[in-house]
Amino acid sequence: DQTTLGHQFLLKELGVVPKVGWQIDPFGHSATQGGLLTSSVGFDALYFGRIHYVDLQNRQAAAECEGLWKSAPDNSSVFWGLTGSYSGNYGAPDGFCFDALCADDPLVGLEKDALKERIRLFTNALGVQANRTKGRNIMITMGMDFQYSQARKNFQNLDLLIDSTQQLLDNGEIKLWSDRFDKVNIFYSTPERYTHCKYADLVNAKTSGEGSARNK
Protein backbone atom coordinates (compact mmCIF):
# COMPACT_ATOMS: atom_id res chain seq x y z
CA ASP A 1 0.00 0.00 0.00
CA GLN A 2 2.79 2.45 0.87
CA THR A 3 4.62 1.71 -2.38
CA THR A 4 1.43 2.07 -4.41
CA LEU A 5 0.54 5.40 -2.79
CA GLY A 6 4.05 6.73 -3.28
CA HIS A 7 4.10 5.74 -6.93
CA GLN A 8 0.71 7.31 -7.57
CA PHE A 9 1.89 10.56 -5.99
CA LEU A 10 5.13 10.67 -8.00
CA LEU A 11 3.34 9.91 -11.25
CA LYS A 12 0.62 12.52 -10.63
CA GLU A 13 2.84 15.31 -9.35
CA LEU A 14 6.10 14.74 -11.22
CA GLY A 15 5.30 12.35 -14.04
CA VAL A 16 7.92 9.94 -12.75
CA VAL A 17 7.75 6.16 -12.30
CA PRO A 18 10.62 4.85 -10.08
CA LYS A 19 12.66 2.00 -11.53
CA VAL A 20 14.64 1.11 -8.41
CA GLY A 21 13.32 0.29 -4.93
CA TRP A 22 15.27 0.61 -1.66
CA GLN A 23 13.84 -1.05 1.44
CA ILE A 24 15.83 -0.59 4.62
CA ASP A 25 13.96 -2.75 7.12
CA PRO A 26 11.42 -5.06 5.41
CA PHE A 27 12.36 -8.09 7.59
CA GLY A 28 11.48 -10.54 4.83
CA HIS A 29 9.37 -10.80 1.70
CA SER A 30 6.65 -13.13 0.51
CA ALA A 31 6.33 -14.53 -3.03
CA THR A 32 3.37 -12.19 -3.52
CA GLN A 33 5.57 -9.20 -2.77
CA GLY A 34 8.02 -10.42 -5.36
CA GLY A 35 5.29 -10.41 -7.97
CA LEU A 36 3.92 -7.03 -6.94
CA LEU A 37 7.38 -5.48 -6.91
CA THR A 38 8.27 -6.61 -10.45
CA SER A 39 5.78 -6.30 -13.29
CA SER A 40 3.14 -4.61 -11.14
CA VAL A 41 5.22 -1.52 -10.35
CA GLY A 42 7.83 -1.62 -13.09
CA PHE A 43 10.92 -1.98 -10.91
CA ASP A 44 14.21 -2.96 -12.53
CA ALA A 45 15.75 -3.66 -9.12
CA LEU A 46 14.97 -3.90 -5.42
CA TYR A 47 17.65 -3.43 -2.75
CA PHE A 48 17.02 -4.23 0.89
CA GLY A 49 18.52 -4.98 4.26
CA ARG A 50 17.63 -7.65 6.80
CA ILE A 51 17.88 -11.37 6.10
CA HIS A 52 17.88 -14.48 8.26
CA TYR A 53 21.41 -15.14 9.48
CA VAL A 54 21.50 -18.73 8.18
CA ASP A 55 20.31 -17.64 4.73
CA LEU A 56 22.87 -14.82 4.82
CA GLN A 57 25.74 -17.16 5.66
CA ASN A 58 24.74 -19.56 2.87
CA ARG A 59 24.46 -16.76 0.31
CA GLN A 60 27.78 -15.19 1.27
CA ALA A 61 29.53 -18.57 0.98
CA ALA A 62 27.90 -19.28 -2.40
CA ALA A 63 28.43 -15.72 -3.73
CA GLU A 64 24.67 -15.28 -4.12
CA CYS A 65 23.99 -12.06 -2.22
CA GLU A 66 22.43 -10.66 -5.40
CA GLY A 67 20.39 -12.21 -8.18
CA LEU A 68 17.15 -12.24 -10.18
CA TRP A 69 13.81 -12.61 -8.38
CA LYS A 70 11.17 -14.37 -10.48
CA SER A 71 7.78 -14.69 -8.83
CA ALA A 72 5.43 -12.61 -10.99
CA PRO A 73 2.56 -14.35 -12.82
CA ASP A 74 3.99 -13.28 -16.19
CA ASN A 75 7.43 -14.72 -15.24
CA SER A 76 9.04 -11.28 -15.31
CA SER A 77 11.98 -10.73 -12.97
CA VAL A 78 13.53 -7.99 -10.88
CA PHE A 79 17.15 -7.72 -9.83
CA TRP A 80 17.61 -7.86 -6.07
CA GLY A 81 20.57 -7.21 -3.83
CA LEU A 82 21.50 -6.96 -0.17
CA THR A 83 22.71 -3.59 1.06
CA GLY A 84 25.58 -2.88 3.46
CA SER A 85 28.44 -4.77 1.77
CA TYR A 86 26.06 -7.71 1.29
CA SER A 87 25.82 -8.13 5.05
CA GLY A 88 22.04 -7.89 5.27
CA ASN A 89 22.08 -4.48 6.91
CA TYR A 90 23.20 -1.09 5.62
CA GLY A 91 25.86 1.49 6.31
CA ALA A 92 29.58 1.89 5.63
CA PRO A 93 32.15 -0.93 5.79
CA ASP A 94 33.53 -1.46 9.30
CA GLY A 95 36.04 1.23 10.18
CA PHE A 96 35.02 3.65 7.45
CA CYS A 97 32.05 5.54 8.81
CA PHE A 98 33.02 9.20 8.72
CA ASP A 99 29.83 10.70 10.07
CA ALA A 100 29.75 12.93 13.14
CA LEU A 101 27.84 10.15 14.94
CA CYS A 102 30.54 7.54 14.26
CA ALA A 103 33.59 6.66 16.31
CA ASP A 104 35.82 5.66 13.36
CA ASP A 105 38.88 7.83 12.88
CA PRO A 106 38.67 10.17 9.86
CA LEU A 107 41.09 9.90 6.96
CA VAL A 108 41.55 13.65 6.63
CA GLY A 109 44.69 14.69 8.49
CA LEU A 110 46.44 11.31 8.45
CA GLU A 111 50.12 11.02 7.57
CA LYS A 112 50.93 9.23 4.31
CA ASP A 113 51.82 5.86 5.85
CA ALA A 114 48.78 5.84 8.13
CA LEU A 115 46.50 6.74 5.22
CA LYS A 116 48.04 4.00 3.09
CA GLU A 117 47.36 1.42 5.80
CA ARG A 118 43.72 2.49 6.08
CA ILE A 119 43.33 2.24 2.30
CA ARG A 120 44.87 -1.23 2.39
CA LEU A 121 42.26 -2.29 4.95
CA PHE A 122 39.55 -0.76 2.79
CA THR A 123 40.62 -2.65 -0.33
CA ASN A 124 40.75 -5.87 1.71
CA ALA A 125 37.14 -5.25 2.74
CA LEU A 126 36.20 -4.73 -0.90
CA GLY A 127 37.81 -8.07 -1.73
CA VAL A 128 35.67 -9.82 0.87
CA GLN A 129 32.57 -8.11 -0.49
CA ALA A 130 33.40 -8.95 -4.12
CA ASN A 131 33.59 -12.64 -3.23
CA ARG A 132 30.01 -12.56 -1.95
CA THR A 133 28.48 -11.93 -5.35
CA LYS A 134 28.96 -12.51 -9.08
CA GLY A 135 30.02 -10.08 -11.77
CA ARG A 136 32.46 -7.18 -11.94
CA ASN A 137 30.54 -4.55 -9.96
CA ILE A 138 29.85 -4.12 -6.24
CA MET A 139 27.93 -1.47 -4.33
CA ILE A 140 29.53 0.23 -1.32
CA THR A 141 26.90 1.88 0.86
CA MET A 142 28.18 4.79 2.96
CA GLY A 143 25.29 5.89 5.14
CA MET A 144 23.15 4.96 8.15
CA ASP A 145 20.22 6.28 10.17
CA PHE A 146 20.39 9.99 11.10
CA GLN A 147 23.73 10.51 9.35
CA TYR A 148 24.99 13.29 7.09
CA SER A 149 23.85 16.05 9.43
CA GLN A 150 27.40 17.33 8.91
CA ALA A 151 27.71 16.28 5.31
CA ARG A 152 30.88 18.27 4.65
CA LYS A 153 32.84 16.02 7.01
CA ASN A 154 31.49 12.90 5.32
CA PHE A 155 32.28 14.01 1.80
CA GLN A 156 35.74 15.36 2.60
CA ASN A 157 36.69 11.91 3.86
CA LEU A 158 34.88 10.10 1.06
CA ASP A 159 36.66 12.22 -1.55
CA LEU A 160 39.99 11.35 0.05
CA LEU A 161 39.04 7.66 0.30
CA ILE A 162 38.10 7.45 -3.37
CA ASP A 163 41.07 9.44 -4.68
CA SER A 164 43.63 7.67 -2.48
CA THR A 165 42.29 4.20 -3.23
CA GLN A 166 42.43 4.82 -6.97
CA GLN A 167 45.88 6.38 -6.84
CA LEU A 168 47.47 3.73 -4.63
CA LEU A 169 46.04 0.91 -6.75
CA ASP A 170 47.00 2.54 -10.04
CA ASN A 171 50.62 3.16 -9.03
CA GLY A 172 51.02 -0.30 -7.51
CA GLU A 173 51.60 0.78 -3.91
CA ILE A 174 48.65 -1.41 -2.91
CA LYS A 175 47.93 -4.73 -4.61
CA LEU A 176 44.58 -5.69 -5.99
CA TRP A 177 42.39 -7.48 -3.47
CA SER A 178 41.17 -10.19 -5.85
CA ASP A 179 42.72 -12.11 -8.73
CA ARG A 180 39.33 -11.93 -10.47
CA PHE A 181 40.05 -8.35 -11.55
CA ASP A 182 42.87 -6.64 -13.40
CA LYS A 183 41.76 -3.09 -12.57
CA VAL A 184 39.58 -1.25 -10.05
CA ASN A 185 37.51 1.88 -10.62
CA ILE A 186 35.85 3.39 -7.55
CA PHE A 187 33.46 6.34 -7.84
CA TYR A 188 30.26 7.96 -6.58
CA SER A 189 27.19 6.34 -8.09
CA THR A 190 23.46 5.69 -7.66
CA PRO A 191 21.34 2.56 -7.24
CA GLU A 192 19.98 3.11 -10.76
CA ARG A 193 23.41 3.22 -12.36
CA TYR A 194 24.53 0.25 -10.32
CA THR A 195 21.50 -1.69 -11.56
CA HIS A 196 22.46 -0.99 -15.17
CA CYS A 197 25.97 -2.29 -14.43
CA LYS A 198 24.63 -5.46 -12.83
CA TYR A 199 22.38 -6.21 -15.79
CA ALA A 200 25.45 -5.77 -18.00
CA ASP A 201 27.23 -8.29 -15.77
CA LEU A 202 24.32 -10.68 -16.28
CA VAL A 203 24.48 -10.34 -20.05
CA ASN A 204 28.25 -10.90 -20.03
CA ALA A 205 27.87 -13.96 -17.80
CA LYS A 206 25.29 -15.48 -20.15
CA THR A 207 27.36 -14.89 -23.27
CA SER A 208 30.53 -16.26 -21.67
CA GLY A 209 28.79 -19.18 -19.97
CA GLU A 210 29.98 -18.10 -16.53
CA GLY A 211 26.61 -17.51 -14.89
CA SER A 212 22.98 -18.47 -14.77
CA ALA A 213 19.71 -16.59 -14.75
CA ARG A 214 19.80 -16.65 -10.97
CA ASN A 215 23.15 -14.95 -10.71
CA LYS A 216 24.20 -11.55 -11.97
Side-chain angles (χ1 to χ4, degrees):
D1 290 344
Q2 298 291 338
T3 301
T4 300
L5 180 61
H7 277 227
Q8 290 174 343
F9 175 84
L10 291 173
L11 182 60
K12 177 182 178 181
E13 300 295 330
L14 302 175
V16 172
V17 177
K19 293 296 183 181
V20 176
W22 187 279
Q23 295 182 329
I24 298 300
D25 290 319
F27 292 93
H29 298 86
S30 67
T32 300
Q33 286 175 302
L36 292 174
L37 292 173
T38 54
S39 60
S40 297
V41 299
F43 276 166
D44 292 329
L46 178 67
Y47 299 98
F48 55 86
R50 308 300 184 185
I51 182 174
H52 192 278
Y53 73 96
V54 174
D55 191 15
L56 176 63
Q57 291 171 354
N58 291 336
R59 291 188 176 279
Q60 288 177 341
E64 292 186 347
C65 288
E66 298 177 306
L68 289 179
W69 192 359
K70 292 187 176 182
S71 61
D74 63 358
N75 202 38
S76 62
S77 62
V78 63
F79 183 83
W80 67 270
L82 293 175
T83 57
S85 303
Y86 312 139
S87 66
N89 206 320
Y90 50 100
D94 290 343
F96 294 90
C97 180
F98 306 121
D99 193 81
L101 299 177
C102 297
D104 297 339
D105 292 332
L107 300 183
V108 174
L110 290 180
E111 297 293 335
K112 181 179 178 180
D113 289 344
L115 177 61
K116 181 178 178 179
E117 176 60 18
R118 291 287 295 282
I119 300 302
R120 186 188 65 78
L121 294 174
F122 180 67
T123 57
N124 288 345
L126 298 187
V128 172
Q129 181 176 345
N131 290 332
R132 293 174 173 176
T133 190
K134 305 290 196 303
R136 299 182 62 84
N137 295 277
I138 62 174
M139 178 192 291
I140 310 165
T141 51
M142 300 297 294
M144 182 61 82
D145 294 14
F146 312 114
Q147 293 185 357
Y148 286 82
S149 61
Q150 298 180 25
R152 181 180 179 86
K153 176 182 178 181
N154 291 69
F155 284 108
Q156 284 178 330
N157 283 277
L158 287 174
D159 288 345
L160 182 58
L161 177 67
I162 292 172
D163 293 343
S164 298
T165 299
Q166 199 68 64
Q167 179 181 357
L168 290 170
L169 286 171
D170 288 347
N171 65 23
E173 291 189 59
I174 290 180
K175 301 298 182 182
L176 291 174
W177 30 260
S178 174
D179 57 8
R180 293 172 52 206
F181 308 101
D182 54 12
K183 185 175 177 59
V184 172
N185 187 20
I186 179 172
F187 52 89
Y188 289 110
S189 188
T190 65
E192 184 175 22
R193 181 176 181 181
Y194 180 70
T195 299
H196 290 319
C197 291
K198 296 310 294 189
Y199 274 108
D201 279 342
L202 176 60
V203 171
N204 292 336
K206 284 184 176 181
T207 56
S208 64
E210 295 178 353
S212 67
R214 179 171 177 78
N215 297 327
K216 317 174 284 114

